[in-house]
Amino acid sequence: MFGYGEGLSGAESPVLEAAKLTKVVDSERVALSSVDLVVRSGEIKGLIASNSFTVKTLFELILGLKSPDAGMIVSGGGAGLKAEQSPQTQFGFLPEEIHIPDRMSGLEYLRLMANLSGMNRGEALSQIASVTERLGIGATLGLKCGSLHIPERRLLALAGATIHSPELLLLSEPIKEMDVFAEGRVKDFLKSTADAGSAILITSREMGAIEKLAQDLVVFSESQVVYDGPMSLVRRFSGRNVLAVEIDGLHSHFESALEGPVADGILAFQFDGDRYVIRFDEAMFLTEMLRVILEAAEESGVILCGVSLQTEDLGETVRNILINAPVRERSQSSLPELRGEPKKELPAAKDTD
């Protein structure tokens, strides 16, 4: 498995631990195979899978809707549910499809969610005031839910899922169909919720949503975890600082220069048909990258025919993880090329139309 193992975000005690967790969906599909996962208080983890049922099944196991076929999953700091807790108070869940009774007002819905969590009237009113202010949905409280737009219903459902300050919050497509202003409110809301001690798991089909909201990333391929680590580590290799360079001259001389003293800041390179794709440290500015290329060209005696900046997105890097990181025996190993000396190679190049 790729990643640094446990404690990636400096978070605190575990609120969820899975060991060798396995769940078979049917005779042809395995949702989870020997999965080890630790989720700690204060973490915001994004979950990406190569199929549609892996994360769905994981959520169902966490919520107790299904039982594992093998392995174990423990919540509540390693000792199961605390005596004063029930699944309704320990977890919060936002499904992709929002189902709120149309005839209820926003306030009635939040009061219902508070009552289901066992909150008294004073606690409920205090929490309703807090979450509606933080999410900017006060205007929806007096409206019937059937009159709300889908993004407004999603924000109201998010408020309901967090009304009781759960230890673990499970979110499916939390910013689907929202504008940038609503996305910003959700991002700030989740950060403050995590800062208060809740752990958050987010899943989405859109890598952009995961990138906006999560601090850590878990990638599943063929029912197993192939990456569990900081989002910042993935961003480092996401193509943000990648130059495509075309030359005329001896390629061996140019490659030697790219590996030499002038190549400070180059993390990896490869020859891709008619050009070099060169990845630089994320901290470098474009002028610094161009200086390195010019010095390498001068040292090797080649002529630069073209230099352009590539702009791959983070999703491309995740796809490269899935393609280039075959599932191995369970371990806590990390990406050696990220922790040691950088290797002069890149993941498979993105296909272009």
Side-chain angles (χ1 to χ4, degrees):
M1 180 182 69
F2 290 179
Y4 283 155
E6 302 175 6
L8 296 169
S9 297
E12 298 176 356
S13 58
V15 299
L16 182 78
E17 295 182 77
K20 306 299 181 185
L21 186 64
T22 299
K23 182 64 180 178
V24 179
V25 177
D26 53 42
S27 60
E28 298 182 353
R29 296 184 299 171
V30 178
L32 298 162
S33 178
S34 193
V35 167
D36 296 329
L37 183 67
V38 177
V39 184
R40 297 180 182 276
S41 173
E43 283 188 329
I44 305 177
K45 281 183 178 285
L47 307 179
I48 294 288
S50 58
N51 59 62
S52 60
F53 52 85
T54 288
V55 176
K56 178 177 180 290
T57 302
L58 177 63
F59 279 10
E60 290 171 339
L61 291 171
I62 293 172
L63 294 170
L65 302 177
K66 290 183 178 179
S67 299
D69 295 318
M72 60 178 291
I73 184 167
V74 179
S75 57
L81 290 176
K82 299 174 183 177
E84 70 276 11
Q85 288 183 313
S86 67
Q88 289 81 8
T89 59
Q90 187 184 21
F91 303 124
F93 177 48
L94 176 72
E96 179 178 356
E97 299 298 327
I98 305 300
H99 300 287
I100 301 176
D102 289 346
R103 295 185 178 182
M104 271 191 170
S105 70
L107 180 58
E108 289 171 337
Y109 172 72
L110 293 181
R111 280 179 170 172
L112 172 64
M113 297 303 291
N115 289 338
L116 291 174
S117 300
M119 302 173 68
N120 63 43
R121 186 174 183 276
E123 292 173 332
L125 292 176
S126 176
Q127 281 294 97
I128 289 171
S130 174
V131 297
T132 54
E133 179 182 3
R134 289 159 60 201
L135 285 170
I137 56 171
T140 67
L141 294 184
L143 302 177
K144 297 297 183 183
C145 294
S147 68
L148 301 179
H149 297 299
I150 292 176
E152 293 174 321
R153 293 169 70 92
R154 194 172 302 280
L155 287 170
L156 184 64
L158 177 59
T162 57
I163 196 76
H164 55 295
S165 302
E167 281 192 358
L168 179 60
L169 185 58
L170 310 177
L171 307 178
S172 180
E173 304 291 349
I175 57 173
K176 183 178 180 181
E177 299 183 45
M178 291 187 186
D179 60 33
V180 294
F181 302 104
E183 286 181 0
R185 294 200 300 273
V186 171
K187 180 177 180 179
D188 292 342
F189 178 81
L190 295 183
K191 185 179 184 305
S192 63
T193 299
D195 289 344
S198 294
I200 303 174
L201 295 180
I202 300 171
T203 184
S204 175
R205 289 184 292 274
E206 298 293 331
M207 189 62 218
I210 299 291
E211 184 180 7
K212 290 173 183 176
L213 302 176
Q215 300 164 348
D216 297 312
L217 182 67
V218 179
V219 180
F220 292 87
S221 177
E222 300 299 330
S223 76
Q224 291 187 308
V225 175
V226 294
Y227 178 83
D228 184 354
M231 185 74 75
S232 59
L233 190 59
V234 180
R235 288 194 184 103
R236 178 184 174 191
F237 280 75
S238 65
R240 303 293 174 81
N241 274 10
V242 176
L243 292 182
V245 179
E246 300 175 46
I247 67 166
D248 182 12
L250 291 175
H251 289 258
S252 59
H253 289 185
F254 186 61
E255 290 174 8
S256 295
L258 292 179
E259 295 174 336
V262 302
D264 184 37
I266 292 180
L267 300 177
F269 68 83
Q270 73 175 19
F271 186 67
D272 183 22
D274 59 352
R275 61 181 182 170
Y276 283 92
V277 179
I278 305 172
R279 193 182 303 276
F280 291 83
D281 186 278
E282 64 175 358
M284 294 183 70
F285 294 105
L286 178 59
T287 53
E288 296 175 298
M289 294 188 287
L290 291 174
R291 175 187 56 77
V292 170
I293 295 301
L294 290 171
E295 290 181 0
E298 181 179 358
E299 181 178 302
S300 60
V302 303
I303 298 173
L304 290 177
C305 300
V307 179
S308 59
L309 182 66
Q310 287 196 339
T311 55
E312 299 172 358
D313 60 18
L314 193 64
E316 182 63 25
T317 299
V318 172
R319 284 188 288 273
N320 282 330
I321 289 174
L322 292 172
I323 292 169
N324 296 292
V327 175
R328 295 175 272 179
E329 292 298 319
R330 304 302 301 166
S331 68
Q332 292 296 330
S333 62
S334 61
L335 276 169
E337 62 268 31
L338 303 187
R339 299 189 72 179
E341 292 297 320
K343 292 184 177 180
K344 300 300 181 179
E345 57 184 15
L346 288 176
K350 182 172 70 173
D351 293 331
T352 56
D353 296 329

